Amino acid sequence: MGWFGLFTKSGMDEGVAEYRQTSGAVLLDVRTREEYADGHIDGSRNLPLDEIDAVLQAIPNRDTPLFVHCRSGARSGQAAAYLKKMGYRNVRNIGGILRDALSTLTE
């Protein structure tokens, strides 16, 4: 996937589909609580980037498959890098979800 592929709806579609097919996976939305409340993908868990340290309590098993996303892909990239540093072994940044894509991704 190219650099701009992180920002496309098809990249999100692929990531969400892979999340749904992965047993025990968590779809982690690192947008703010306000952004999350405004609309989110069904089944996702909100853990804002500025609270990412709380992941140890929320998801203690570091083998849990984590599919991380935000609005544009920037915060999710930061979160994914940090999660890997924390010892999470199965982390995938699936990029950004733009507001107009929410209706097609939420089922």
Side-chain angles (χ1 to χ4, degrees):
M1 173 184 335
W3 181 239
F4 292 102
L6 292 174
F7 303 100
T8 64
K9 182 177 155 305
S10 64
M12 281 295 301
D13 285 346
E14 292 170 11
V16 171
E18 186 177 343
Y19 149 72
R20 290 183 175 148
Q21 295 171 359
T22 303
S23 179
V26 173
L27 181 60
L28 197 59
D29 185 330
V30 297
R31 297 176 301 150
T32 65
R33 293 190 189 289
E34 295 78 18
E35 288 173 303
Y36 187 82
D38 194 35
H40 57 272
I41 300 170
D42 285 345
S44 64
R45 293 177 67 175
N46 184 224
L47 185 60
L49 180 60
D50 63 354
E51 299 174 24
I52 199 71
D53 287 332
V55 72
L56 293 170
Q57 290 78 36
I59 308 166
N61 182 349
R62 294 181 187 184
D63 289 320
T64 300
L66 301 175
F67 291 80
V68 186
H69 77 89
C70 64
R71 183 184 185 283
S72 69
R75 286 176 283 181
S76 58
Q78 292 173 25
Y82 188 71
L83 290 165
K84 289 175 184 177
K85 276 184 160 180
M86 293 177 72
Y88 287 87
R89 293 176 270 286
N90 194 356
V91 179
R92 179 164 175 222
N93 175 12
I94 62 171
I97 180 170
L98 299 176
R99 178 81 175 114
D100 59 353
L102 281 170
S103 62
T104 61
L105 291 173
T106 304
E107 296 179 352

